[in-house]
């Protein structure tokens, strides 16, 4: 295990920026693209750096002391960038992009000129930054109250979801007093992971968020209509990855009724998926859930195996609540894909660790 994990960690660290025009020291370079319109730009986001840090920290306990030092060094260099992405008024929420001043759609020519595309802080980046640092009890209590203010029905009500979910008091993806309310099963899984990790008291918003996660699995909507279930992560393998991590770590009672179905679904989808990275993240998910899978020879993977794999998108029309525009929002022409090579290597490091840890436990 050490040799392969060392290789992946060395590759990840080599991709960490030393400080360039587009990427500050410690950030993992990312890019946004839409191949249908020939669009490709470097993107100065904290998202991939934060989620890579989270994943590396989660596997560190299985690594030897030498490799743990590498993980610690990588994460330390990521974390020092967090203040640049903190709320513009100093609150303890975080943004996808730099905030003071706003750097939305950085390094481009068009989108950064329009206020429409400026986004507020979001619960996804905020959750991962809390998970990779050591927030105080007061900060966690403040966050829990802050989340209530932006939950569905508190001020605004969700419109771009299935009719039966419109009454749920689940959390929205977005902070921001005038931002529309949005449900995303992956974002909610990440947020609930953070809430459960810090053992925060649960309320009706948590219960309804878990209800949403359970229902999209029960109804197969996460398979048949993944975009409507997760605007930011609109593919079934990505939804499997995020929900599986939540279930495997905390086994929330609210999700136990769909756990068996969820595993069966994942096993079936693993057999039919073609992209090697989708196979990796679904296999990692099943291993977490205690299911035996065939080994994937990731030691032979190269950068070319990442081609065509995207972990996160922005739908340029999802902010519009007009029914016609929302119907158009699913069209890939209106999607921006975010890609990050370092995060792909991180997913391989995660798979390698999960596989080897399972193999050792079976001996």
């Amino acid at each position: 295990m050490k040799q392969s994990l060392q290789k992946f960690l060395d590759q990840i660290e080599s991709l960490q920026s030393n400080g360039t025009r587009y990427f500050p020291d410690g950030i993992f370079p990312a890019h946004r693209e839409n191949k249908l319109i020939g669009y490709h730009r470097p993107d100065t986001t904290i998202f991939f750096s934060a989620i890579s840090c989270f994943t590396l920290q989660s596997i560190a306990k299985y690594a030897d002391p030498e490799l743990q030092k590498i993980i610690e060094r990588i994460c330390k260099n990521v974390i020092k960038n967090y203040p640049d992405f903190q709320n513009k008024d100093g609150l303890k929420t975080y943004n996808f992009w730099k905030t003071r001043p706003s750097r939305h759609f950085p390094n481009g020519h068009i989108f950064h000129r329009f206020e429409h595309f400026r986004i507020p802080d979001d619960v996804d980046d905020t959750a991962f930054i809390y998970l990779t640092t050591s927030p105080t009890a007061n900060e966690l209590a403040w966050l829990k109250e802050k989340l209530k203010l932006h939950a569905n029905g508190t001020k605004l009500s969700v419109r771009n979801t299935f009719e039966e979910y419109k009454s749920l008091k689940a959390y929205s993806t977005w902070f921001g007093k005038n931002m529309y309310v949005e449900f995303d099963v992956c974002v909610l899984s990440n947020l609930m992971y953070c809430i459960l990790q810090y053992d925060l008291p649960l309320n009706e918003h948590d219960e309804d968020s878990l209800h949403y996660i359970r229902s999209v699995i029960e109804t197969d909507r996460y398979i048949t209509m993944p975009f409507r279930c997760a605007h930011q992560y609109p593919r079934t393998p990505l939804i499997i990855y995020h929900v599986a991590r939540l279930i495997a770590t905390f086994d929330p009672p609210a999700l136990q009724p769909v756990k068996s179905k969820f595993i069966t679904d994942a096993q079936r989808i693993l057999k039919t998926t073609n992209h090697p990275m989708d196979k990796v993240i679904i296999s990692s998910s099943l291993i977490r859930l205690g299911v035996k899978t065939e080994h994937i020879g990731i030691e032979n993977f190269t950068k070319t195996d990442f081609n065509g794999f995207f972990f996160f998108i922005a739908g340029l029309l999802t902010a519009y609540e007009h029914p016609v525009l929302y119907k158009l929002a699913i069209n890939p022409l209106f999607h921006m894909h975010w890609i990050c090579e370092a995060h792909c290597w991180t997913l391989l490091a995660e798979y390698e660790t999960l596989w080897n840890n399972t193999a050792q436990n079976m001996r």
Side-chain angles (χ1 to χ4, degrees), residues 91-139:
L91 301 177
K92 291 303 290 284
T93 57
Y94 293 86
N95 203 285
F96 189 78
W97 288 308
K98 288 188 174 184
T99 54
R100 289 176 282 187
S102 173
R103 291 282 187 264
H104 61 291
F105 280 93
N107 316 315
H109 306 300
I110 300 173
F111 294 112
H112 72 281
R113 300 179 186 277
F114 295 92
E115 282 297 309
H116 170 77
F117 293 110
R118 186 194 301 269
I119 58 174
D121 301 346
D122 64 271
V123 305
D124 212 20
D125 286 288
T126 298
F128 282 113
I129 288 176
Y130 272 67
L131 283 165
T132 52
T133 53
S134 300
T136 66
N138 286 341
E139 288 171 338

Side-chain angles (χ1 to χ4, degrees), residues 269-289:
I269 292 165
L270 177 60
K271 292 178 182 178
T272 59
T273 193
N274 293 318
H275 199 288
M277 289 303 295
D278 282 342
K279 289 182 181 294
V280 166
I281 62 175
I282 297 174
S283 294
S284 290
S285 301
L286 287 168
I287 293 170
R288 288 188 203 278
L289 294 167

Side-chain angles (χ1 to χ4, degrees), residues 120 146-161 165-183 205 208 319 321:
K146 176 69 171 171
L147 289 166
K148 291 181 186 179
L149 300 178
H150 303 277
N152 187 43
T154 302
K155 293 181 180 177
L156 301 174
S157 297
V158 65
R159 296 180 64 182
N160 290 342
T161 190
Y165 301 144
K166 289 184 177 181
S167 63
L168 291 178
K169 296 181 180 180
Y171 296 117
S172 176
T173 298
W174 307 103
F175 296 110
K177 61 182 180 179
N178 296 318
M179 191 65 171
Y180 67 102
V181 175
E182 176 187 78
F183 294 161
H205 305 295
D208 278 8
E321 296 180 315

Side-chain angles (χ1 to χ4, degrees), residues 170-222:
Y171 296 117
S172 176
T173 298
W174 307 103
F175 296 110
K177 61 182 180 179
N178 296 318
M179 191 65 171
Y180 67 102
V181 175
E182 176 187 78
F183 294 161
D184 183 307
V185 63
C186 296
V187 174
L188 288 173
S189 295
N190 294 336
L191 178 59
M192 291 310 303
Y193 190 108
C194 181
I195 288 168
L196 294 172
Q197 176 68 29
Y198 289 116
D199 197 24
L200 301 180
L202 302 184
N203 56 36
E204 61 183 346
H205 305 295
D206 304 294
E207 292 170 0
D208 278 8
S209 295
L210 290 167
H211 176 94
Y212 179 81
I213 297 170
R214 181 178 69 246
S215 182
V216 299
I217 297 170
E218 274 177 339
T219 59
D220 277 346
R221 284 170 174 151
Y222 83 112

Side-chain angles (χ1 to χ4, degrees), residues 75 325 340 345 360:
C75 291
L325 290 177
C340 175
W345 290 111
Q360 289 172 4

